[in-house]
Amino acid sequence: MKNHLLNILNLFFSLFPIKRNQLLFIDYYGAKYGDSPAVLSEHIVETHPEWKIVWAFNNPGPFEISDVIKIRYMSVNFFWELNTSGIIITNYRMPEFFRKRKGQKYLQTWHSSLRLKKIEKDAQDNLPPHYIKMAQLDSKNIDLIISGSQMSSATFKNSFWYKGEVLECGTPRIDKLINISPNRLNDLKNLMDIKENERVILYCPTFRHHEEDKKYYLDPFLFYNMLHESSPNINWKVLIRYHPHESMGNHFVRETTKIKDVTPYSDVQDLISIADILVTDYSGVMFDFAYTSKPCFLFVPDLVQYIAKERELYFDINTLPFPVSSTYTELVDQIININREKYSWEIKKFLESVGSFEKGVACEKVTKKLEEWVKKKE
């Protein structure tokens, strides 16, 4: 019945003209406002105020965004905008109900600049059949994928069930890190109640499908206490951001003045900007953090189990430029004794090895492509 209703809505609204200068943005199926879609949207608002920008959210209320129209994801109005917007921009797979019309364009930004875990066709043994079907249909609709590196381009061409154009321009979400202003940085620290003398560690673990494996998440209290004991002269603060798939939230982390759960905050790039140190495991956020030149550490006590039960990896984790640990003692020791000069050199060599395109101008290059789409007549 639901699929029948969605088909009727699509069929009815497809009878109306397409508005070329209207762009529909969706981040993580309407759950968030962040990532490359948000950075690109803000750039377009500044450079093309004549274009109409629409954002779809599961709950539009919490998101305060200037100069855009907010609608509810999966509402009747959503299907109207989905069928009449000239350009659709997202960072995840579009559901099967999406039927791109002739005259519409679909930009896929994906949700990482580079990735550790294998994706799509490269990981299809670990993906449910319904997702593979949805992904293959989605790839047929895509007109353009943006890429942040030569390695990402190869991944998209080999594993994405996609034969179309790859724009090797960098990633809008990395633009935000490269171009952040001191005033914006201060505003974010004030928003997060970060004191001037506090040294911030951001912990961002990836999602684990198996509930029993979540015991491998870092214990923030044990971690903080060990840090404090090892370096009491440093005023540490730990921010925890779980994956959007998680339903954890503040009830999972008992917050203190030194430990804060920032999972509800939608834009991880803002959190990266205010962090002095990142601790993660298998999340692609490590590669975003590399562009800040600040130290990132991988805490992977379940490395063997993770690869066996979750996903194989594109890299041997021990060949990455980020220090790897499997115990709290080892992790704390690495953080306190990091050789910054050596680390910076290794990051530079790594980004060269993957053929990075990130120069902080991805938004400009993508917008030029969108200008062509808006002006083009089928």
Side-chain angles (χ1 to χ4, degrees), residues 197-307:
N197 66 339
E198 285 182 323
R199 193 171 182 191
V200 178
I201 295 183
L202 175 64
Y203 174 53
C204 284
T206 196
F207 178 71
R208 288 167 171 79
H209 290 84
H210 304 278
E211 193 66 33
E212 69 274 12
D213 290 340
K214 292 175 183 178
K215 64 179 178 289
Y216 294 109
Y217 286 142
L218 182 145
D219 181 324
F221 291 95
L222 176 58
F223 176 54
Y224 172 80
N225 288 334
M226 291 182 67
L227 270 174
H228 181 66
E229 290 174 5
S230 298
S231 53
N233 58 316
I234 298 177
N235 190 7
W236 297 103
K237 187 161 189 171
V238 178
L239 305 182
I240 305 106
R241 186 182 191 270
Y242 293 103
H243 191 277
H245 278 316
E246 300 286 10
S247 59
M248 293 176 177
N250 289 331
H251 66 278
F252 181 79
V253 176
R254 180 171 55 82
E255 293 185 299
T256 70
T257 57
K258 295 299 180 184
I259 299 174
K260 183 177 178 63
D261 183 355
V262 293
T263 303
Y265 193 84
S266 63
D267 195 340
V268 72
Q269 263 61 43
D270 284 348
L271 300 174
I272 286 174
S273 296
I274 63 174
D276 298 297
I277 290 170
L278 175 70
V279 177
T280 184
D281 42 26
Y282 314 102
S283 172
V285 73
M286 69 178 74
F287 300 118
D288 287 23
F289 205 75
Y291 289 97
T292 71
S293 296
K294 296 181 290 189
C296 171
F297 301 86
L298 307 185
F299 181 65
V300 290
D302 61 334
L303 178 59
V304 174
Q305 299 97 310
Y306 185 88
I307 293 174

Side-chain angles (χ1 to χ4, degrees), residues 53 68 72 164 249 273 362:
I53 307 298
V68 307
R72 188 173 296 277
S273 296

Side-chain angles (χ1 to χ4, degrees), residues 320-346:
L320 293 173
F322 317 110
V324 177
S325 61
S326 59
T327 67
Y328 288 87
T329 301
E330 190 176 14
L331 173 62
V332 170
D333 181 68
Q334 289 175 345
I335 290 173
I336 293 172
N337 296 303
I338 181 74
N339 182 328
R340 295 287 188 121
E341 185 177 348
K342 180 174 181 289
Y343 176 83
S344 295
W345 182 84
E346 290 177 344

Side-chain angles (χ1 to χ4, degrees), residues 24 41 71 88 96 152 202 207 225 283 303 311 314 348:
L24 174 63
S41 173
I71 60 172
I88 292 93
E96 290 182 55
S152 286
L202 175 64
F207 178 71
N225 288 334
S283 172
L303 178 59
R311 296 278 182 96
Y314 284 117
K348 181 176 180 292

Side-chain angles (χ1 to χ4, degrees), residues 85-193:
S85 295
I87 300 172
I88 292 93
I89 299 173
T90 186
N91 60 347
Y92 275 80
R93 292 297 192 177
M94 287 293 286
E96 290 182 55
F97 61 69
F98 175 53
R99 298 289 185 271
K100 190 182 69 173
R101 295 174 59 187
K102 182 179 180 180
Q104 285 185 313
K105 294 292 186 180
Y106 172 21
L107 170 65
Q108 171 61 257
T109 71
W110 206 232
H111 48 274
S112 61
S113 58
L114 187 62
R115 55 219 51 86
L116 176 63
K117 297 170 290 186
K118 290 188 176 180
I119 62 169
E120 308 303 88
K121 187 178 179 181
D122 291 341
Q124 62 183 350
D125 291 344
N126 300 96
L127 298 172
H130 74 269
Y131 177 84
I132 294 175
K133 180 182 177 183
M134 180 178 72
Q136 290 172 332
L137 287 172
D138 179 69
S139 284
K140 291 179 180 178
N141 285 319
I142 295 170
D143 292 288
L144 182 69
I145 293 178
I146 60 174
S147 169
S149 67
Q150 291 175 359
M151 183 173 182
S152 286
S153 297
T155 300
F156 289 138
K157 291 173 182 177
N158 295 333
S159 74
F160 221 68
W161 298 289
Y162 175 71
K163 303 300 181 184
E165 182 182 359
V166 176
L167 184 62
E168 297 181 327
C169 61
T171 317
R173 61 190 273 172
I174 303 300
D175 283 5
K176 186 171 185 176
L177 296 176
I178 292 175
N179 301 324
I180 191 166
S181 69
N183 287 341
R184 174 60 178 166
L185 197 57
N186 287 333
D187 289 343
L188 289 172
K189 289 183 177 181
N190 289 334
L191 180 65
M192 294 291 170
D193 194 28

